Amino acid sequence: MCGRYAASRRPEELVDVFGVETWEPKETLAPDWNVAPTKEVYAVLDRPLKDAAGPRPVRQLRVLKWGLVPSWAKNPEGAARMINARAETLHEKPSFRRPFAQRRCLIPADGYYEWVTGSDERQLEVEGKKKRARKQPYFVTPADGSVFAMAGIYEFWRDRTLPDAHPLAWWVTCSVITTEAETTPLAVSPAEGPRALADIHPRMPLMLTPERWDAWLDPSRTDPELLRGLLDPPPGGLMRAFAVSSAVSNVRNNGPELVEELAAPEVGTLF
């Protein structure tokens, strides 16, 4: 799954990496090493500009809220629960099938966090000697330092309690698509660390490599069966994963120190 990630790159870099044609400098977000559900995040999407003379899609860098609110929802209260959409059932779920067909995006990240319960801690929990086992956070990121482009979907929701002219009358929200975690060896693996992403968690964000960005963002592609071919996982061996400070578990903590690799996990035996 993807419940927390880091996104520290400046918009100018994202514009260059993704070939963005337009973005609003006034929407610039501060670097965030602890992105949590319901926060505002960057997303890359292809869409005609509002009030444009023609229908040509324009690649844009937009600020969306993480946690999808379906267009038909009565209120946005369930947004925090819709941060992820499973690739296997995306085309079937009422909340996701329409944005999957019509509104796809890329959500740029440095990498994502996942938590692992240590085997010693888990045994204590089983024996009733510990009510809540400690978990070790890991940071998963491209081994070559490139942008982690997560496949996403977005949707528009109208707040009917506000007048049309109100700046918050329309919400634009998004979900990160997840897929089965890779079982192939990581590009770089610590001596006593995980050998594959599946050792950490059975799910992972669907990362799209650059040659697939244009097809994914193309709004003219609307056939769900053809689109499902774009949900294939990336080639294996592109990622690395390492233990980081448990400070990231507190959403109030933020800073580059959260993605610094630890010499050894804070929680005993893990794998």
Side-chain angles (χ1 to χ4, degrees):
M1 61 176 295
C2 179
R4 208 81 65 78
Y5 68 92
S8 67
R9 285 175 165 81
R10 304 298 300 174
E12 294 84 358
E13 180 182 355
L14 299 177
V15 166
D16 182 58
V17 169
F18 292 100
V20 169
E21 296 177 70
T22 182
W23 67 286
E24 289 289 343
K26 64 182 180 182
E27 293 187 344
T28 297
L29 299 174
D32 194 339
W33 289 270
N34 203 349
V35 180
T38 74
K39 276 191 172 183
E40 291 188 324
V41 300
Y42 284 130
V44 177
L45 53 93
D46 284 6
R47 185 178 179 83
L49 292 173
K50 187 177 180 180
D51 301 325
R56 183 182 73 87
V58 175
R59 185 153 301 177
Q60 307 172 43
L61 181 65
R62 299 281 295 273
V63 172
L64 313 184
K65 187 181 290 288
W66 186 22
L68 190 136
V69 180
S71 59
W72 42 261
K74 293 181 179 179
N75 59 62
E77 292 178 0
R81 296 192 300 272
M82 291 198 179
I83 58 171
N84 293 161
R86 295 173 68 94
E88 298 86 345
T89 57
L90 194 59
H91 63 293
E92 302 171 341
K93 299 295 184 181
S95 298
F96 301 137
R97 62 191 179 199
R98 184 175 169 186
F100 172 51
Q102 301 179 2
R103 288 180 280 279
R104 298 175 301 278
C105 63
L106 294 169
I107 301 173
D110 304 330
Y112 70 99
Y113 300 101
E114 197 56 79
W115 281 257
V116 178
T117 302
S119 56
D120 295 342
E121 293 280 321
R122 189 162 47 247
Q123 185 59 36
L124 290 174
E125 190 175 32
V126 169
E127 295 171 358
K129 297 178 182 179
K130 200 162 192 174
K131 291 185 178 180
R132 188 174 181 180
R134 291 186 303 159
K135 294 186 177 183
Q136 174 63 55
Y138 272 77
F139 187 60
V140 182
T141 185
D144 63 2
S146 61
V147 175
F148 189 104
M150 300 185 290
I153 53 176
Y154 68 99
E155 185 58 286
F156 293 92
W157 179 77
R158 175 70 167 87
D159 186 344
R160 298 298 175 185
T161 66
L162 299 175
D164 290 343
H166 196 284
L168 300 179
W170 284 96
W171 290 35
V172 192
T173 59
C174 63
S175 283
V176 172
I177 297 174
T178 65
T179 188
E180 289 187 359
E182 296 175 0
T183 57
T184 51
L186 290 162
V188 180
S189 182
E192 299 182 0
R195 293 291 178 264
L197 292 181
D199 293 340
I200 301 173
H201 194 277
R203 306 289 298 176
M204 63 175 285
L206 175 61
M207 184 183 80
L208 296 182
T209 46
E211 70 276 5
R212 298 169 64 188
W213 292 350
D214 289 346
W216 177 253
L217 295 176
D218 184 356
S220 70
R221 296 173 182 247
T222 59
D223 186 322
E225 290 304 313
L226 295 178
L227 289 171
R228 289 175 67 184
L230 300 176
L231 296 172
D232 292 338
L238 300 179
M239 311 300 291
R240 64 184 300 244
F242 51 86
V244 294
S245 169
S246 57
V248 73
S249 301
N250 187 330
V251 296
R252 291 188 293 271
N253 294 328
N254 212 316
E257 68 278 3
L258 296 182
V259 297
E260 291 179 359
E261 183 174 1
L262 298 181
E266 297 172 327
V267 177
T269 303
L270 291 167
F271 302 98

